Amino acid sequence: MMRGSSSITEEGNNFSKFDDDGRAKRTGTMWTASAHIITAVIGSGVLSLAWAIAQLGWIAGPLSLLAFSAITWFTSILLADCYRSTDGTRNYTYKEVVKSYLGGLNIRLCGIAQYSNLVGITVGYSITASISIVAIKRSNCFHKMGHEAGCHTSNNPYIITFGLIQIVLSQIPNFHKLSVLSLVAAAMSFAYSSIGLALAAAMIAGGRGHVETSLTGIPVGSNMSSMDKMWNTFNALGNIAFAYSFSPVLIEIQDTIKSGVPENKVMKSATLIGTLVTTVFYMLCGVLGYAAFGNDAPGNFLTGFGFYEPFWLVDIANLCIVIHLVGAYQVFSQPIFGLVEKWSREKWVDNKFITKEYPIAGGKFNLNLFRLVWRTIYVICTTIFAMLFPFFNNFVGLLGAAAFWPLTVYFPIEMYVARSKIPKFTFMWMWLQILSGVCLVISLLAALGAIEGLVQSLRTFKPFHSVS
């Protein structure tokens, strides 16, 4: 009798520590989910929006921002409903959702699209962080040596430094342990966006020089051929698409929400908050950035302020970017880490190198040798790739184009159709297919623009010789 009582007590304790699926109890809320979204979305994408609007102009630029925002929000709502299968079981990753509702070849296509995009984003964040660190050094140099000084600095040492930091942080075991890092990163995104907005507004109010803007963006002329204009327009669409890219990690974020409330409803609220906040910031950064710099808007609009005072405020903004990207790198890399480690544990169940956890720091943390080695190798590879291809706008445009249609539009729509059993050729089915088709065309055009830009950059680029 005593043994039965003990058993019940143990089961009761276990029940308080674990969720209905046997995993550690989830503690996420609407606010932590919103923080994850903001951390994922307001990243390096915001820095290129002034440049993107400069290519598109006053009409197409803001309209494109609003259109991508609306599409991302709409398809994210569809995706949030797919977290649980029709029988109520959880899907822990984007790929598992696709497997549950679509299956077949779609699973492989989803895996290729999602994880190649996540790898690309982590490479892009390594590039962006180094650009921001170099911008700090250059603004200090301009302040000391004068604006005529070139103050050119290699990006590579700072890409390596960022990589070293990520090697340490990558030992955070999973997504559920990232809440504090995400909250800090989200705060940093607000900080540097706000500073950028203030600096742009100050430039506009101060009337520093005459800047040219246009309803249709940079005009065709001696410095811009009609072909270049077309490619830049396509590339700008890719940059905007990238700025809203968080669908690849939406399911992983939703999987952090605590039980007891409908996860899809909480996630929809978090998605609405995250999308509204980022859209307001994006509109302000893009519009004020274009108004401040005009057709000469730089690829990273915060680096453009390096020529102006107060230099210390520019330094703070760029430092906030670096801190934000430190956390954002982890948000996007954790699904990759989880995929490889889950597959390895299932394939080599008895391999202690892969499965054994060693308690360290008095049992507060666990060290896994496979996790240590594999994640370190991954960070090293992304660091090397960032040094090989440090082309910010073109790289961002290609990532946005590659991920937008399959991950943000196609799969959420197809899974919603399958889940809701919408008959073919009905009004709803036709409308969703038209939306998907239009977004596919936009993604293809954006990819062509980014590839053209990369080809042009590679013609004069020397590997490992990136200088800002």
Side-chain angles (χ1 to χ4, degrees):
M1 192 70 178
M2 290 292 291
R3 184 177 299 176
S5 175
S6 175
S7 175
I8 292 171
T9 303
E10 287 177 3
E11 287 177 7
N13 289 336
N14 287 337
F15 181 77
S16 65
K17 296 179 181 178
F18 298 96
D19 269 333
D20 55 343
D21 58 348
R23 295 198 172 191
K25 206 163 189 65
R26 295 162 177 82
T27 58
T29 64
M30 179 184 70
W31 298 111
T32 60
S34 300
H36 283 315
I37 292 171
I38 293 169
T39 299
V41 180
I42 304 183
S44 58
V46 70
L47 305 175
S48 66
L49 293 179
W51 177 88
I53 291 184
Q55 313 310 312
L56 298 169
W58 284 120
I59 298 175
L63 285 178
S64 297
L65 277 172
L66 290 175
F68 277 98
S69 172
I71 292 169
T72 302
W73 171 73
F74 174 69
T75 56
S76 295
I77 286 178
L78 304 185
L79 186 57
D81 280 334
C82 298
Y83 169 67
R84 285 187 183 267
S85 300
T86 52
D87 61 358
T89 57
R90 299 174 186 265
N91 296 294
Y92 303 113
T93 67
Y94 195 117
K95 189 177 178 182
E96 287 184 17
V97 174
V98 174
K99 181 179 179 181
S100 175
Y101 287 100
L102 301 178
L105 182 61
N106 285 293
I107 302 171
R108 290 190 177 183
L109 293 176
C110 171
I112 293 170
Q114 182 186 12
Y115 292 105
S116 60
N117 178 251
L118 292 174
V119 171
I121 288 174
T122 55
V123 172
Y125 282 178
S126 299
I127 296 170
T128 311
S130 70
I131 291 173
S132 294
I133 298 172
V134 168
I136 295 173
K137 192 167 184 179
R138 291 190 74 194
S139 70
N140 292 335
C141 176
F142 288 134
H143 179 72
K144 184 177 180 181
M145 307 295 292
H147 294 163
E148 296 76 18
C151 296
H152 297 297
T153 305
S154 172
N155 293 351
N156 291 338
Y158 305 104
I159 294 177
I160 294 171
T161 302
F162 184 81
L164 291 173
I165 294 171
Q166 293 303 333
I167 287 175
V168 175
L169 291 178
S170 291
Q171 298 312 307
I172 296 174
N174 54 50
F175 227 124
H176 304 278
K177 305 297 183 182
L178 287 179
S179 293
V180 174
L181 193 60
S182 278
L183 288 169
V184 172
M188 292 299 101
S189 67
F190 280 115
Y192 70 69
S193 297
S194 300
I195 291 171
L197 291 174
L199 290 171
M203 281 184 65
I204 296 168
R208 287 177 175 165
H210 175 69
V211 296
E212 294 183 1
T213 62
S214 169
L215 291 177
T216 57
I218 300 174
V220 175
S222 57
N223 297 323
M224 176 73 70
S225 68
S226 57
M227 287 297 292
D228 288 338
K229 173 70 174 178
M230 180 184 71
W231 293 125
N232 283 356
T233 298
F234 294 160
N235 198 3
L237 293 174
N239 276 258
I240 294 174
F242 176 80
Y244 282 103
S245 176
F246 76 96
S247 296
V249 293
L250 185 145
I251 295 299
E252 283 82 352
I253 293 173
Q254 190 167 347
D255 190 47
T256 66
I257 296 172
K258 63 183 178 183
S259 302
V261 293
E263 298 91 355
N264 62 334
K265 290 185 178 180
V266 176
M267 194 63 195
K268 287 177 182 179
S269 298
T271 299
L272 180 61
I273 292 170
T275 306
L276 284 176
V277 169
T278 53
T279 300
V280 170
F281 270 84
Y282 283 0
M283 289 294 289
L284 290 172
C285 288
V287 169
L288 291 183
Y290 183 42
F293 293 107
N295 293 333
D296 294 323
N300 178 340
F301 94 113
L302 269 180
T303 62
F305 296 113
F307 293 94
Y308 303 104
E309 303 292 342
F311 79 100
W312 56 268
L313 190 58
V314 178
D315 290 353
I316 292 174
N318 280 295
L319 180 61
C320 289
I321 291 175
V322 175
I323 296 172
H324 171 259
L325 293 180
V326 165
Y329 184 104
Q330 287 301 312
V331 170
F332 281 100
S333 60
Q334 283 293 337
I336 304 170
F337 297 155
L339 173 76
V340 172
E341 287 157 20
K342 179 184 177 184
W343 178 82
S344 300
R345 285 193 300 269
E346 290 174 353
K347 188 171 181 62
W348 296 288
V349 178
D350 299 322
N351 190 314
K352 291 186 178 180
F353 174 76
I354 294 173
T355 60
K356 189 172 178 60
E357 299 280 346
Y358 297 92
I360 58 175
K364 293 182 179 179
F365 305 99
N366 288 329
L367 174 67
N368 176 272
L369 295 178
F370 175 70
R371 183 166 63 232
L372 175 65
V373 173
W374 136 245
R375 296 190 181 192
T376 300
I377 292 173
Y378 174 82
V379 174
I380 290 172
C381 289
T382 59
T383 301
I384 292 172
F385 203 87
M387 291 190 289
L388 279 172
F389 301 102
F391 312 119
F392 178 71
N393 289 102
N394 294 320
F395 197 82
V396 163
L398 184 59
L399 287 175
F404 176 68
W405 179 71
L407 298 177
T408 302
V409 180
Y410 173 74
F411 285 120
I413 285 178
E414 291 303 309
M415 287 187 291
Y416 176 77
V417 169
R419 188 176 192 276
S420 302
K421 298 179 180 179
I422 299 175
K424 286 187 177 181
F425 305 112
T426 59
F427 174 79
M428 177 62 73
W429 185 89
M430 291 289 291
W431 184 84
L432 291 173
Q433 298 308 314
I434 290 171
L435 175 63
S436 182
V438 170
C439 291
L440 172 60
V441 172
I442 293 172
S443 288
L444 291 174
L445 294 177
L448 289 174
I451 291 170
E452 170 65 18
L454 285 171
V455 170
Q456 294 294 335
S457 299
L458 285 170
R459 287 176 179 173
T460 57
F461 175 68
K462 296 179 180 179
F464 299 107
H465 286 80
S466 172
V467 175
S468 293

